[in-house]
Structure formats: C-alpha cells, structure tokens
Amino acid sequence: MSKESKDWLETAARLSYIKPEDIPEIDLYMDQVTTFMEAQLSATKRTPDDKIMTKTMINNYTKNKLLPPPLKKKYTKDHMYMLIFIYYFKNIMSIADIQKLIRPLTENFFGKKDKEEMPEQSCDLDKIYETVFHMEHDYYYKMKENIESSKEQAEHTFEEIEGEDGEFLRKFSYISLLCYDIYIRKQMIETMVDEMFGQEEENKKKK
C-alpha cells in the first residue's frame, strides 16, 4: 500500500470512532451534546465550516422519531449512543431506512439500565454499542487488505500512459473501484432493510 493510502486509512481509523469509555456517564444538556460531538469528531470534517451535529439536527431527529425526546431537557448516555449511530448511518442510508433500523433499538433496548432486573439473555445499549465498536475496530484490518488490493489493481491500469494524464487516470480508476464497493454495499444495506421490514410495510398498507 502506498504511503498516501496508508495515511488516509490510518487517519480515518484513528479519528472516526468514539470509544465507549469516552461517552459521558452523566446526562447532558443540548449545548453539551453538540460540544462533545464536535470535540470527538471534528477531525473527520472535510472543511472547517462543516458541522458535526447541530441543535437543529438533533431536534429534527427527535421530531422524525429517530431519537427519543430528552428527559427534563437532558440527554442520557443512551441518547448519545443513538446519536452516534445516526451520525454514521446518515451518510449512507435514507432517513426512512434509518427510522426503520433505529426503532427496534429504541423500543427494545433504550433506557434498560437495571442489570439486576434484566434477563441474562437480554442486553442494553451499553453492550450493543461496545460490541459494534469493537467489531468495527477489528474490521479495520480486513478493510485495509481490501483497500490495498484495490489500490494495487488500479496502479496497473493505463500503464502505457505517462505523466500527469496517466497519474490522473490511475487515481480515477482507484476512486471508481472504491465507489463501486460503496455502491454494492449500499445496495446490500437497502435490500437487508427491505427484507427486515418489508412485511411490516405491507401490513401498514392493508390497514
């Protein structure tokens, strides 16, 4: 893998996650929520003017039933988990699909903090977020291999073309491969969401 690609990937891996232990245990007001998200994820912004999460965004998530309303104007640790999931999902998925995927989390796991009263086979958002975080962190190494393979494949295109034109076309090929990978995965996500919630939509239409 070229140093350029390696730097991109390592930077993304280092900056794109909020560790479970870094999420505040205390409830936060809206301003504290946006400040926390900005501090944790600001390095992932494309330009300095980009916003990670604003008050308007959070209010809209609540209005569209992606996020449970705050408790006495404060957001719990479970709210923070949900906001982080939404932050990543919204770059790939439609709001409608996020609503479908998030609703079971809200209905079945949000606010379940009393471990003593929970059945052994149950879990809460603490466990869900920590499990997903570690799974994604470990997946980095497999993703690195896949990106390295794509880079090597692209570097062997347009070898007969020299100079800036050749360099541009090889980078264009690399970007095209990465985009195709994202496109296929996005199609898979949409198909899975449709399969998971398709019957539910059919039942709504019949009513």
Side-chain angles (χ1 to χ4, degrees), residues 15-170:
L15 301 175
S16 296
Y17 296 101
I18 299 178
K19 298 177 181 178
E21 60 268 25
D22 290 340
I23 299 175
E25 293 287 345
I26 62 173
D27 297 346
L28 304 176
Y29 287 107
M30 174 77 85
D31 286 341
Q32 293 172 308
V33 172
T34 56
T35 299
F36 172 80
M37 295 293 283
E38 185 73 22
Q40 291 290 320
L41 295 169
S42 61
T44 66
K45 295 193 296 186
R46 187 171 184 177
T47 71
D49 293 333
D50 289 343
K51 301 295 183 183
I52 297 295
M53 195 165 288
T54 65
K55 295 179 183 179
T56 300
M57 290 178 190
I58 295 174
N59 286 330
N60 284 337
Y61 297 152
T62 302
K63 181 179 178 180
N64 290 310
K65 302 187 184 303
L66 273 72
L67 182 74
L71 304 174
K72 297 181 179 179
K73 297 185 178 181
K74 284 189 173 183
Y75 294 85
T76 65
K77 193 174 185 180
D78 278 4
H79 282 104
M80 301 302 295
Y81 290 139
M82 302 292 280
L83 284 170
I84 294 167
F85 282 133
I86 292 168
Y87 173 77
Y88 291 114
F89 291 162
K90 70 186 180 71
N91 292 295
I92 302 295
M93 302 168 65
S94 68
I95 292 298
D97 281 349
I98 297 175
Q99 286 174 326
K100 295 173 186 175
L101 196 59
I102 285 290
R103 188 174 64 249
L105 282 182
T106 303
E107 294 176 351
N108 301 324
F109 305 105
F110 188 92
K112 286 191 175 182
K113 295 295 183 187
D114 193 342
K115 304 288 193 305
E116 295 182 0
E117 295 183 3
M118 289 173 59
E120 186 177 342
Q121 69 273 20
S122 297
C123 69
D124 57 14
L125 281 175
D126 283 330
K127 183 176 180 180
I128 292 170
Y129 183 84
E130 185 171 351
T131 300
V132 172
F133 170 82
H134 288 297
M135 179 184 66
E136 291 177 344
H137 185 268
D138 293 342
Y139 183 67
Y140 161 79
Y141 298 100
K142 293 182 180 179
M143 182 174 61
K144 184 177 179 180
E145 291 178 3
N146 179 266
I147 291 177
E148 182 175 358
S149 176
S150 297
K151 177 66 173 176
E152 291 175 354
Q153 186 176 350
E155 285 177 345
H156 291 295
T157 61
F158 303 104
E159 291 181 308
E160 72 281 7
I161 302 178
E162 299 178 354
E164 292 183 0
D165 286 347
E167 183 179 351
F168 165 75
L169 290 173
R170 284 183 283 278

